[in-house]
Amino acid sequence: MTSKKKLPLAFWIFIGLAVGVVAGLILMNVPDGAGIDVAKNYIKPWGDIFLNLLKFVVVPIVLFSIASGVISMKDISKVGAIGGKTVVYYMCTTAFAVVLALILANIATGMGLFHVLDTTDLSYTPPEGQSIMTVIVNIFPSNAIKPLADATMLQVIVISLFLGFGILLAGEKGLVAAQVVDSFNEVFMKIMDLIIKLSPIGVACLICPVVAENGPMILRDLVAVLALAYVGYILHALIVYSSTVKLLGGLSPLAFFKGMAPAMMMAFSSASSVGALPFNLECTERLGARREVASFVLPLGATINMDGTAIYQGVCAVFIATAYGVSLSLGDMVTIVLTATLASIGTAGVPGAGMVMLAMVLQSVGLPIEGIALVAGIDRVFDMGRTTVNITGDAACTLIVSRMEDRKEARTRAVRG
C-alpha cells in the first residue's frame, strides 16, 4: 500500500493514457463500427464529464487567482513589468516556432514528402474571423457576469485585473475584499485538487474515442504532414524551452519536463489549454514558480500563447501551397511568420482558433482557404500535439518570469542592505 501512495500522479495519468489508447485500438477494429459507437456513446461521455468539471473550475480559478496575484504584488507597476516580460517571451517564441516550422516544411518539400494533389473538389468554409479593432474592443467587457458565464477568458482576465487593482487602490477599505478574494482562491484551489484526482480516468475516457475514430485515417492519410508537425513540436520544446528554462530560469530541462508531465499528458488527451490550466498551475508551483506570477502568466498564456499552433500554421501552409502547386517566396515566408505571430493574440477569443489562424495565414499569402479541407479531417490529432506545446510554453515563461522576479528582489535587498 505504501508503494502505491508514493507513485506520482503523472504515473497514473500515463497509465490512463495507455489504457485509453489500447481500448481505442481494440474498439477501432470491432466490425461494423460497433466499437466506435461504444467509444463515442458510452466512453466519451465520462471524459466529457471530467472536462466539464475542469471547465467549471477554470473561470473562478482565473478570476480569483489573478486578482489574488495582483493583490499580493502590492504594486500596480509590478504587474505591468511582469506582463511586459510575459508578452515579449510569448511573441519571440511564437515567431521562432513559425520559422522552425517553415524550415522543416521546406526540407520536407525538397525531399519529396509533400506532393501536388488533386484539389478540384475541395471546399471549406472558414470560421468567422475578427478585425484587429474588433478583437481589441472585445477584450474589454461591457458586462461583469456574461464573460464569466461564457468563459470568455480575455475578458475574465481583464475583470480579475481590475478587481485586483481596485482592491489595491482602496487601501485599508479594501482589506476585507482582499481576504474574500484570497479565501475564494484557496477554496477553488482545493476543488481543483479534488477534480485532478480523477484525471487518470478522465484522460483514458477522452483519448479512447479519439483513437477509435481517427486511427484508420491517421494510418491512411497525411502521415507526412502530421509527422512533420510533431517533429516541429518536439524540436521546439527541446530547443526553445530547454534552453530558456536553463539559461533564464536556472532549472534543469530534465527536471522541467519531468515536473510538467501531468499537465502535458492532460493537454495531449483533452486538446484544451484551458482544461489543462489547473494542472499547469499545480505543476509550475511544484517546480518553484511563485504563486502570484503563475496565477497571472498562465491564464494569460492559455489565452494568447500559441507556439504549437504556430508550428501547425507553418507546416500546413507549405503543405497546402505544395498541394496547389504554388511555390512560396521568401517574402511569403516572412509574411507567414508575422501573420501567425500576431494572429496568436488576434484570434485568442475565437472558438477553433487554430483553424481561424490558418485561414488568416493562407489569405495573407494568397493561398486558397479551401486547402484547409486537406488537413481538417485530422485536426484533432494536430490539436493534441500543439496544445501540449502551448501549455508547456506557458509553464516555461512562468518559471522564467518567477526567476527574474526573484533576482530583481534579491538585488533590491542587496542595495537596501
Side-chain angles (χ1 to χ4, degrees):
M1 292 295 290
T2 307
S3 61
K4 286 186 179 179
K5 289 181 181 178
K6 288 183 178 178
L7 290 172
L9 179 65
F11 173 81
W12 294 112
I13 294 177
F14 178 77
I15 293 297
L17 193 67
V19 169
V21 169
V22 171
L25 290 172
I26 292 171
L27 292 171
M28 178 185 78
N29 292 305
V30 174
D32 302 322
I36 295 176
D37 289 339
V38 169
K40 288 169 61 178
N41 299 326
Y42 298 100
I43 296 177
K44 186 175 182 291
W46 295 102
D48 290 339
I49 289 172
F50 175 64
L51 209 52
N52 285 345
L53 288 173
L54 284 174
K55 289 177 180 177
F56 137 72
V57 80
V58 160
V59 169
I61 279 182
V62 170
L63 177 66
F64 292 115
S65 66
I66 288 184
S68 180
V70 169
I71 294 165
S72 65
M73 291 181 201
K74 300 178 181 177
D75 185 355
I76 293 178
S77 64
K78 190 174 179 181
V79 179
I82 290 175
K85 293 171 188 170
T86 301
V87 172
V88 168
Y89 181 87
Y90 286 156
M91 296 295 277
C92 290
T93 57
T94 300
F96 183 90
V98 188
V99 171
L100 173 64
L102 291 174
I103 292 171
L104 291 174
N106 279 287
I107 291 172
T109 303
M111 293 172 63
L113 296 178
F114 294 169
H115 307 93
V116 177
L117 303 175
D118 181 7
T119 57
T120 53
D121 296 327
L122 287 181
S123 65
Y124 176 77
T125 303
E128 186 178 347
Q130 296 175 313
S131 69
I132 293 176
M133 290 311 300
T134 302
V135 170
I136 293 172
V137 170
N138 288 342
I139 287 174
F140 299 93
S142 59
N143 183 295
I145 305 300
K146 195 171 185 300
L148 305 180
D150 296 342
T152 310
M153 297 311 295
L154 276 178
Q155 294 187 356
V156 173
I157 290 170
V158 169
I159 291 171
S160 59
L161 285 172
F162 275 107
L163 178 60
F165 294 158
I167 290 172
L168 281 180
L169 294 171
E172 288 187 7
K173 291 184 178 180
L175 288 177
V176 174
Q179 290 173 343
V180 170
V181 167
D182 192 52
S183 178
F184 270 113
N185 184 44
E186 193 61 33
V187 167
F188 279 103
M189 286 293 180
K190 295 301 179 186
I191 293 173
M192 179 190 75
D193 289 341
L194 291 175
I195 296 170
I196 283 177
K197 288 179 181 177
L198 301 172
S199 54
I201 298 170
V203 164
C205 294
L206 285 168
I207 199 72
C208 175
V210 174
V211 173
E213 287 186 84
N214 294 315
M217 192 182 301
I218 298 166
L219 296 174
R220 190 176 64 243
D221 299 323
L222 304 175
V223 172
V225 67
L226 191 63
L228 194 67
Y230 272 83
V231 168
Y233 297 153
I234 293 167
L235 284 177
H236 185 73
L238 292 178
I239 296 170
V240 177
Y241 302 147
S242 292
S243 59
T244 54
V245 163
K246 177 67 175 175
L247 297 174
L248 302 176
L251 182 67
S252 158
L254 188 61
F256 171 68
F257 288 113
K258 184 178 178 182
M260 281 300 299
M264 292 171 74
M265 283 186 275
M266 180 60 213
F268 185 80
S269 59
S270 69
S272 169
S273 294
V274 172
L277 183 57
F279 290 79
N280 222 354
L281 281 164
E282 188 165 298
C283 289
T284 50
E285 284 190 35
R286 285 182 178 175
L287 286 169
R290 298 165 64 157
R291 172 169 282 200
E292 67 268 24
V293 173
S295 299
F296 177 77
V297 174
L298 289 178
L300 186 63
T303 312
I304 70 169
N305 181 43
M306 297 188 181
D307 289 0
T309 310
I311 292 170
Y312 162 79
Q313 312 302 316
V315 170
C316 288
V318 175
F319 171 72
I320 291 169
T322 306
Y324 278 91
V326 177
S327 179
L328 295 173
S329 66
L330 182 59
D332 291 333
M333 301 286 186
V334 173
T335 301
I336 289 173
V337 172
L338 293 174
T339 305
T341 303
L342 295 175
S344 67
I345 293 177
T347 58
V350 181
M355 287 294 187
V356 175
M357 284 177 67
L358 185 53
M360 292 173 68
V361 166
L362 294 179
Q363 286 177 320
S364 72
V365 290
L367 290 171
I369 56 175
E370 289 79 10
I372 295 177
L374 289 169
V375 294
I378 54 169
D379 183 68
R380 166 74 185 206
V381 187
F382 281 112
D383 203 7
M384 292 159 68
R386 69 189 182 224
T387 302
T388 306
V389 175
N390 291 345
I391 67 103
T392 308
D394 300 342
C397 183
T398 299
L399 291 163
I400 289 165
V401 172
S402 288
R403 181 64 173 167
M404 286 180 170
E405 289 302 303
D406 289 341
R407 288 197 289 260
K408 183 178 176 182
E409 289 188 1
R411 288 194 299 269
T412 304
R413 285 194 299 267
V415 170
R416 287 176 181 173

Coordinates of all heavy atoms in Angstrom, one line a residue, residues 48-83:
D48 N -16.2 13.6 -21.1 CA -16.8 15.0 -21.2 C -17.2 15.5 -19.8 O -17.0 16.7 -19.5 CB -18.0 14.9 -22.1 CG -17.7 14.7 -23.5 OD1 -16.6 15.0 -23.9 OD2 -18.6 14.2 -24.3
I49 N -17.6 14.6 -18.9 CA -17.9 15.0 -17.5 C -16.7 15.5 -16.9 O -16.7 16.6 -16.2 CB -18.5 13.8 -16.8 CG1 -19.9 13.4 -17.3 CG2 -18.5 14.1 -15.3 CD1 -20.5 12.1 -16.7
F50 N -15.6 14.8 -17.0 CA -14.3 15.2 -16.4 C -13.9 16.6 -17.0 O -13.5 17.5 -16.2 CB -13.2 14.2 -16.7 CG -11.8 14.6 -16.2 CD1 -11.6 14.8 -14.9 CD2 -10.8 14.8 -17.2 CE1 -10.3 15.2 -14.5 CE2 -9.6 15.2 -16.7 CZ -9.3 15.4 -15.4
L51 N -14.0 16.8 -18.3 CA -13.6 18.0 -18.9 C -14.6 19.2 -18.5 O -14.1 20.3 -18.3 CB -13.7 17.9 -20.5 CG -12.8 18.8 -21.3 CD1 -11.3 18.6 -20.8 CD2 -12.9 18.4 -22.8
N52 N -15.9 18.8 -18.3 CA -16.8 19.8 -17.8 C -16.4 20.3 -16.4 O -16.6 21.5 -16.1 CB -18.2 19.2 -17.8 CG -18.8 19.1 -19.2 OD1 -18.3 19.7 -20.1 ND2 -19.9 18.4 -19.3
L53 N -16.0 19.4 -15.6 CA -15.6 19.7 -14.2 C -14.4 20.7 -14.3 O -14.3 21.6 -13.5 CB -15.3 18.5 -13.4 CG -16.4 17.6 -13.0 CD1 -16.0 16.3 -12.3 CD2 -17.4 18.4 -12.0
L54 N -13.4 20.4 -15.2 CA -12.3 21.2 -15.3 C -12.7 22.6 -15.8 O -12.2 23.6 -15.3 CB -11.3 20.6 -16.3 CG -10.4 19.5 -15.8 CD1 -9.6 18.9 -16.9 CD2 -9.5 19.9 -14.6
K55 N -13.6 22.7 -16.8 CA -14.0 23.9 -17.3 C -14.8 24.7 -16.3 O -14.7 26.0 -16.2 CB -14.9 23.7 -18.6 CG -14.1 23.2 -19.8 CD -15.1 22.9 -20.9 CE -14.3 22.5 -22.1 NZ -15.1 22.1 -23.3
F56 N -15.5 24.0 -15.4 CA -16.3 24.7 -14.3 C -15.4 25.4 -13.4 O -15.6 26.5 -12.9 CB -17.2 23.6 -13.6 CG -17.2 23.8 -12.1 CD1 -17.8 24.8 -11.5 CD2 -16.5 22.8 -11.3 CE1 -17.8 24.9 -10.1 CE2 -16.5 22.9 -9.9 CZ -17.2 24.0 -9.3
V57 N -14.2 24.8 -13.1 CA -13.3 25.3 -12.1 C -12.4 26.4 -12.6 O -11.8 27.2 -11.9 CB -12.6 24.2 -11.3 CG1 -11.4 23.7 -12.1 CG2 -12.1 24.6 -9.9
V58 N -12.2 26.4 -14.0 CA -11.2 27.2 -14.6 C -11.5 28.7 -14.4 O -10.7 29.5 -14.0 CB -11.0 26.9 -16.1 CG1 -10.4 28.0 -16.8 CG2 -10.1 25.7 -16.2
V59 N -12.8 29.1 -14.7 CA -13.2 30.5 -14.6 C -13.0 31.1 -13.2 O -12.3 32.1 -13.1 CB -14.6 30.8 -15.1 CG1 -15.1 32.2 -14.8 CG2 -14.7 30.5 -16.6
P60 N -13.5 30.5 -12.2 CA -13.2 31.0 -10.8 C -11.8 31.0 -10.4 O -11.3 31.9 -9.8 CB -14.1 30.1 -9.9 CG -14.5 29.0 -10.7 CD -14.5 29.4 -12.1
I61 N -11.0 30.0 -10.9 CA -9.6 30.0 -10.6 C -8.9 31.1 -11.3 O -8.1 31.8 -10.6 CB -9.0 28.6 -11.1 CG1 -9.2 27.5 -10.0 CG2 -7.5 28.7 -11.3 CD1 -8.6 26.2 -10.3
V62 N -9.2 31.4 -12.6 CA -8.6 32.5 -13.3 C -9.0 33.8 -12.6 O -8.1 34.7 -12.3 CB -9.0 32.5 -14.8 CG1 -8.5 33.8 -15.4 CG2 -8.3 31.3 -15.5
L63 N -10.2 34.0 -12.3 CA -10.8 35.2 -11.7 C -10.1 35.5 -10.4 O -9.5 36.6 -10.2 CB -12.3 35.1 -11.5 CG -12.9 36.3 -10.9 CD1 -12.8 37.6 -11.7 CD2 -14.4 36.0 -10.5
F64 N -10.1 34.5 -9.5 CA -9.6 34.8 -8.1 C -8.1 34.7 -8.0 O -7.5 35.4 -7.2 CB -10.3 33.8 -7.1 CG -11.7 34.1 -6.9 CD1 -12.7 33.2 -7.3 CD2 -12.2 35.3 -6.4 CE1 -14.0 33.4 -7.2 CE2 -13.5 35.6 -6.2 CZ -14.5 34.6 -6.6
S65 N -7.5 33.8 -8.8 CA -6.0 33.6 -8.7 C -5.3 34.9 -9.3 O -4.3 35.3 -8.7 CB -5.5 32.4 -9.4 OG -5.7 32.4 -10.8
I66 N -5.8 35.4 -10.4 CA -5.1 36.6 -11.0 C -5.3 37.8 -10.0 O -4.4 38.5 -9.7 CB -5.6 36.9 -12.4 CG1 -5.1 35.9 -13.4 CG2 -5.2 38.3 -12.8 CD1 -5.5 36.2 -14.8
A67 N -6.6 38.0 -9.5 CA -6.8 39.0 -8.6 C -6.0 38.9 -7.3 O -5.4 39.9 -6.8 CB -8.3 39.1 -8.2
S68 N -5.9 37.7 -6.8 CA -5.0 37.4 -5.6 C -3.6 37.7 -5.9 O -2.8 38.2 -5.1 CB -5.2 35.9 -5.2 OG -4.5 35.7 -4.1
G69 N -3.1 37.3 -7.2 CA -1.7 37.6 -7.5 C -1.4 39.0 -7.6 O -0.4 39.5 -7.1
V70 N -2.4 39.8 -8.2 CA -2.2 41.3 -8.3 C -2.1 41.9 -6.9 O -1.3 42.7 -6.6 CB -3.4 41.9 -9.1 CG1 -3.3 43.4 -8.9 CG2 -3.3 41.5 -10.5
I71 N -3.0 41.4 -6.0 CA -3.1 42.0 -4.6 C -1.8 41.6 -3.9 O -1.2 42.5 -3.2 CB -4.3 41.4 -3.8 CG1 -5.6 41.9 -4.5 CG2 -4.2 41.8 -2.4 CD1 -6.8 41.1 -4.0
S72 N -1.3 40.4 -4.1 CA 0.0 40.0 -3.4 C 1.2 40.8 -3.8 O 2.2 40.9 -3.1 CB 0.2 38.5 -3.5 OG 0.4 38.2 -4.9
M73 N 1.2 41.3 -5.1 CA 2.3 42.1 -5.6 C 2.3 43.5 -4.9 O 3.4 44.1 -4.9 CB 2.2 42.2 -7.1 CG 2.4 40.9 -7.9 SD 2.3 41.2 -9.7 CE 2.0 39.5 -10.2
K74 N 1.2 44.0 -4.5 CA 1.1 45.2 -3.7 C 1.5 46.5 -4.5 O 1.7 47.5 -3.9 CB 1.9 45.1 -2.4 CG 1.4 44.0 -1.5 CD 2.2 43.9 -0.2 CE 1.7 42.8 0.6 NZ 2.6 42.6 1.8
D75 N 1.7 46.3 -5.8 CA 2.2 47.4 -6.6 C 1.7 47.2 -8.1 O 2.1 46.3 -8.7 CB 3.7 47.5 -6.6 CG 4.3 48.7 -7.3 OD1 3.5 49.5 -7.9 OD2 5.5 48.9 -7.2
I76 N 0.9 48.2 -8.6 CA 0.4 48.0 -9.9 C 1.5 48.1 -11.0 O 1.4 47.4 -12.0 CB -0.7 49.2 -10.2 CG1 -1.9 49.0 -9.3 CG2 -1.1 49.2 -11.7 CD1 -2.9 50.0 -9.5
S77 N 2.5 48.8 -10.7 CA 3.6 48.9 -11.7 C 4.3 47.6 -11.9 O 4.9 47.2 -12.9 CB 4.6 50.0 -11.3 OG 5.3 49.6 -10.1
K78 N 4.4 46.8 -10.8 CA 5.0 45.5 -10.8 C 4.2 44.5 -11.7 O 4.8 43.7 -12.5 CB 5.0 44.9 -9.4 CG 5.8 43.6 -9.3 CD 5.9 43.2 -7.8 CE 6.8 41.9 -7.7 NZ 6.8 41.5 -6.3
V79 N 2.9 44.7 -11.7 CA 2.0 43.9 -12.6 C 2.4 44.2 -14.1 O 2.5 43.3 -14.9 CB 0.5 44.2 -12.4 CG1 -0.3 43.4 -13.3 CG2 0.1 43.9 -10.9
G80 N 2.6 45.5 -14.4 CA 2.9 45.9 -15.7 C 4.3 45.4 -16.1 O 4.4 44.9 -17.3
A81 N 5.2 45.3 -15.2 CA 6.6 44.8 -15.5 C 6.5 43.3 -15.9 O 7.1 42.8 -16.9 CB 7.5 45.1 -14.4
I82 N 5.8 42.6 -15.1 CA 5.6 41.1 -15.3 C 4.9 40.9 -16.6 O 5.3 40.0 -17.4 CB 4.9 40.4 -14.1 CG1 5.8 40.4 -12.9 CG2 4.5 39.0 -14.4 CD1 5.2 39.9 -11.6
G83 N 3.8 41.6 -16.8 CA 3.1 41.5 -18.1 C 3.9 41.8 -19.3 O 3.8 41.1 -20.3

